[in-house]
Amino acid sequence: MIYDAVIIGAGHNGLVAGSYLARAGMTVCVVEKNDWVGGAAVSRELHPGFTYSNCSYVSSLFRPEIMRDLELPRHGLQILPFEGGAVLTEDGDYLGMHRDHDANRREFARHSLRDSEAYDRYARDVQRHCRFIRPMLMRTPPDPARFRPRDVAELAWLARKMFELPEAQIAEMIRFWTMSISDYLDQYFENPVIKAYLAVSAIIGTALGPMSPGSAYVLLHHYMGDVDGNVGAWGFARGGMGAVTKALTASLQAAGGEVRMGSGVDRVLVSNGRATGVVLDNGDEIRGRRVISNMDVKRTFLKHVEEKELPGEFVDRVKKFKIRGSSGKLNIALDSAPVFPALPEGSTHIRGDLHFTDSIARMERAYDDWKSGTFSRDPFQDVMIPTMIDPTMTPPGKHFMSCFVQYAPPKIHGGEWTDADRDAFGKTCLDQLEAYSPGFKDRVLHVEVRTPRELEAEVGLTEGNIFQGELTFDQLLFNRPVPGYAQYRSPVKDLWICGSSTHPGGGVMGAPGRNAAAEILREAGQIKGMRDAYPVL
Amino acid sequence: MTGLKRATQLLTTPFHARTSAANLQGRWGPWAGYRAALCFGDVDMEYTAIRNAASVYDLCPMVKYRFTGPDAEAYLDHLTVRNVAKLKPGSVHYTLWCDDEGKVLDDGTLLRHGPQEFLLSCQERHLPWMLDAATGYDVTIADVTTEIAALSLQGPTSAAVLRLAGWDVSDLRPFRMLKVDFGGAELTISRTGFTGDLGYELWTSADHALPLWDHLMAAGALHGIRPIGTDALNLARLDAGFLIANVDFIPADQALRHDRARSPFEIGLDWLIDWTKGHFNGRRALVAERAAGSEWAMVGLDIEGNVSAEGSILYLGKKKEVGYITSAAWSPSAKRSIALAQIRRPYHESADIWVEIYAQRELQYAKLMLKADQTARPFYEPARRRTTPPQAF
């Protein structure tokens, strides 16, 4: 059998692309090396009765248009908005978040009266940037070096959008895209704790510090999603982030697509400059009229396509694509709910994201450790306990805690991570938790510690970079992943890329997979079942 | 800081013990982080108290800033569009302030307590902006919202109520203030209000709130005094043609869509601007706009029929969309269907403006296209509003 599409990797983008193609009438086979689907949107039971969100742990970016097109709610997907969140400070105080505007303002005012009001202008300005960028997420970037009618029209669309803005906002936007989050926040705020809380979104998943130019854009990347129209809000996938890929798999199968698990792709078959299928690690050959890779661009072209099939300049650019890993993760099964004495009893803060890094300076010092080739001794952790509101992941009264940790380098002092390094990394994080929640370690039933080594080995993310490539301005839009190949195509005919290495980048967004499917279907002349992005009113 | 509790729920005002006891229906709404009464029992009766007897409204959630220092006058002159030098101690004026592009940030009332002391009462918060604007001025700015308890006493018998309370306000002209002693604290009585009727606003320290409430209620018992909620006040303010930030215009610093900001010309408040006083914030842009013309106009409409036009769209000749209603109601005092509206210039001068109303009656909609004629504001203005000394009722 020759499939219309063979997709490498059952991550969310591979499954999104596969589902769209299957719905348009193509025969689709998704190949997955692990015995489970999900990629980095995965939920596994590593302790009996406990479902984890092993990699990604919250949802906001996943495009609602895709959920609707692929009928994901019917296939079991539920997104739960959450409340709360706090930074616990070294002096035993905290800064807590509230969904209610005025309650939030009063809490900010406890730290700085001026900042409490400045927050409104800050939030408005970030929203303005989101409004500009959101319509771009579900469009194929134009290629500015070519003059095909579609590229010219798309460039004109971009230019028109830009010049609809007042002059001052154009200037503001260009500054925002290039400056550091530290400098950006200094324009609005004076209080270090408030700045530390807001800077978080700019460093998550990024091999940049809060003082590195370009980090402000990363914040925007985390703000441009929404939960049911509430732009910037984040939620949990009910049942863990694996629920996203479970629903996608069900949608794919309902449309006649197949998923083949348990053996990865050894290499892409190329004949006469065209991709014709894949050979699996177990030797099986799967034939396809086109091959679509959900792997990152480095893994795809440097490990699974013979170099002689690719132009030298392309290979060189792919080699130099920045994909440095910066983070690790602890997934913890807890016997009971942790207590953070700094937080008021009964407050909702524990239901949201908890941090212990109370200044940008501390964040930057954590990054300094990464630069010198080791994990942060005083790490930044983004701690979430989804079981505070999700009843499906653990037995009642027990909890699953996800700790996203920065910084962790892809290599330790230039060498490979060892088990001892991993354990030392895990202990550093647990010690920090224990310091803010005495007795924490006694509640722990099981811990999964993941460094960039585990992320690369299990999930397949090169260097453990969660975005399949850094989100710096030089690697965005028509330069993602490399100039000339931002339209989901590759130098090999019928070999496509659909992962987060492509526009608009990482996060559980689904847009790369959807956009790649759109290009494939457009080329095949059978585009259907795909709605445009909801308009920004 | 006082009042900044860790509690997450809505704050209550210093009058809460009394307002909660009087609120028969538990109809509250959030207002700037406070629990504010929307209605105590019957909105028609409360509105009637404003126009017939005496009404009491809790103003505490209004944001209040105090400005003190040798440069306070010069600073406020620079900040706001009106001439603060002309505002004598003991006086109040209504004013507004703009950003550098000449777009309105907010409006409010400025009370001059002394040569170097002012109080500004407004709807929105502006502290970072005000602090930034103070560079180079010898002025101290404090947010005193939680320190002051303020009540609005409005209605034809309000002067009589104050006289029975022991304070003779017969000589107090509109926009003037009187300071009296109340239980050892200073009480400021200003002849101001948001109803377009005879009325006063009373300002004292938060710890004197409850005695003040009780004292007024006792004094007004035979003069029809009753507490009113935001619903009734909103109807009265529309009669008077007053604007509310975030209802009738979007404050420029909050506008997410940059084209939503409005200049004073565009909301009909350019009459406040003193062009001769020297520079003030936004002046350069406003001078340019005065020469070049504005995009929008704020108009008062008198709409045929008796169906309120809230949220409706305006058309030129029933076809071309030219504007929208910002506030509308059937006015029990004016006996007209009235509205505040934004119309794109030059259509604000047209006599051919229509409003499309979707009136829901028992689930089904009646779709109406009604003639909307421009009319002067205030829509309703009783003579007692300005008469000094005030009449007995």
Side-chain angles (χ1 to χ4, degrees), chain A residues 98 106 114 117 124 128, chain B residues 8-9 126-127 132 252 255:
Chain A
H98 299 283
R106 288 204 303 269
R114 185 194 167 101
E117 296 187 22
R124 181 203 65 171
R128 284 182 164 179
Chain B
T8 60
Q9 69 259 70
H126 307 280
L127 193 64
D132 288 347

Side-chain angles (χ1 to χ4, degrees), chain A residues 442-491:
Chain A
D442 298 334
R443 303 177 198 270
V444 173
L445 298 172
H446 170 256
V447 189
E448 180 192 26
V449 182
R450 296 161 76 99
T451 72
R453 176 180 70 160
E454 283 75 27
L455 289 171
E456 173 152 8
E458 182 191 300
V459 187
L461 295 168
T462 299
E463 297 192 34
N465 183 293
I466 66 168
F467 292 141
Q468 284 200 352
E470 290 170 56
L471 297 173
T472 48
F473 201 48
D474 57 312
Q475 298 197 147
L476 291 175
L477 206 63
F478 39 70
N479 288 329
R480 190 170 185 90
V482 297
Y485 296 96
Q487 298 181 337
Y488 310 96
R489 291 166 176 83
S490 80

Side-chain angles (χ1 to χ4, degrees), chain A residues 108-123:
Chain A
F108 271 45
R110 216 164 51 77
H111 296 266
S112 161
L113 187 59
R114 185 194 167 101
D115 287 2
S116 72
E117 296 187 22
Y119 181 68
D120 291 337
R121 191 166 65 90
Y122 162 81

Side-chain angles (χ1 to χ4, degrees), chain A residues 98 100-107 109-110 113, chain B residues 1-17 19-20 28-37 58-64 125 143-148:
Chain A
H98 299 283
D100 177 74
H101 176 263
D102 289 294
N104 204 57
R105 176 175 53 72
R106 288 204 303 269
E107 171 61 4
R110 216 164 51 77
L113 187 59
Chain B
M1 284 209 64
T2 56
L4 294 173
K5 307 237 168 58
R6 293 192 178 198
T8 60
Q9 69 259 70
L10 290 171
L11 296 178
T12 54
T13 77
F15 296 106
H16 189 68
T19 52
S20 58
W28 303 91
W31 175 15
Y34 285 88
R35 184 185 300 205
D58 180 355
L59 281 180
C60 294
M62 291 292 285
V63 179
K64 297 165 212 78
R125 294 182 168 272
D143 178 347
V144 294
T145 304
T146 56
E147 295 169 20
I148 294 175

Side-chain angles (χ1 to χ4, degrees), chain B residues 157-232:
Chain B
T157 64
S158 55
V161 171
L162 287 176
R163 194 173 59 247
L164 286 169
W167 304 307
D168 181 9
V169 291
S170 50
D171 294 334
L172 192 63
R173 285 175 288 122
F175 294 104
R176 298 286 298 173
M177 296 189 286
L178 178 69
K179 288 186 198 270
V180 299
D181 176 82
F182 176 64
E186 187 179 85
L187 172 72
T188 299
I189 302 172
S190 59
R191 187 166 168 185
T192 50
F194 207 49
T195 61
D197 214 304
L198 174 65
Y200 304 86
E201 287 169 324
L202 288 71
W203 318 73
T204 190
S205 61
D207 54 345
H208 285 74
L210 296 181
L212 176 63
W213 179 279
D214 294 340
H215 188 63
L216 281 179
M217 286 300 169
L222 297 178
H223 286 76
I225 198 167
R226 71 187 291 158
I228 63 158
T230 305
D231 293 348

